Amino acid sequence: MDYYKIGQKIRKYRKLNGLSQEELAEKVGISVTHMSHIETANTKLSLQVLVDISKGLT
């Protein structure tokens, strides 16, 4: 799994939706630090967090 590409797509769609990392992290229920690490591929994300992020972007 390419976590870098996933993080870049999350960042792209977050920005297209006009959300800050803080706003999306709050919607998803994770810390801002964790959201930042997901977008920069400094951490792996669980399937549940990925699902929650996708819901937060819709």
Side-chain angles (χ1 to χ4, degrees):
M1 191 179 284
D2 190 338
Y3 292 102
Y4 180 77
K5 284 185 181 179
I6 292 170
Q8 293 303 301
K9 289 211 180 249
I10 290 170
R11 175 178 284 156
K12 174 185 173 182
Y13 287 105
R14 174 180 59 77
K15 288 183 176 188
L16 284 173
N17 282 292
L19 295 170
S20 67
Q21 283 185 340
E22 293 84 3
E23 292 167 326
L24 183 54
E26 186 176 323
K27 281 180 142 184
V28 174
I30 61 174
S31 71
V32 176
T33 302
H34 190 55
M35 178 60 66
S36 174
H37 287 174
I38 289 169
E39 288 189 0
T40 58
N42 287 328
T43 190
K44 296 179 181 178
L45 71 159
S46 68
L47 180 57
Q48 186 59 55
V49 171
L50 181 59
V51 169
D52 293 344
I53 289 172
S54 68
K55 287 179 182 176
L57 291 171
T58 58

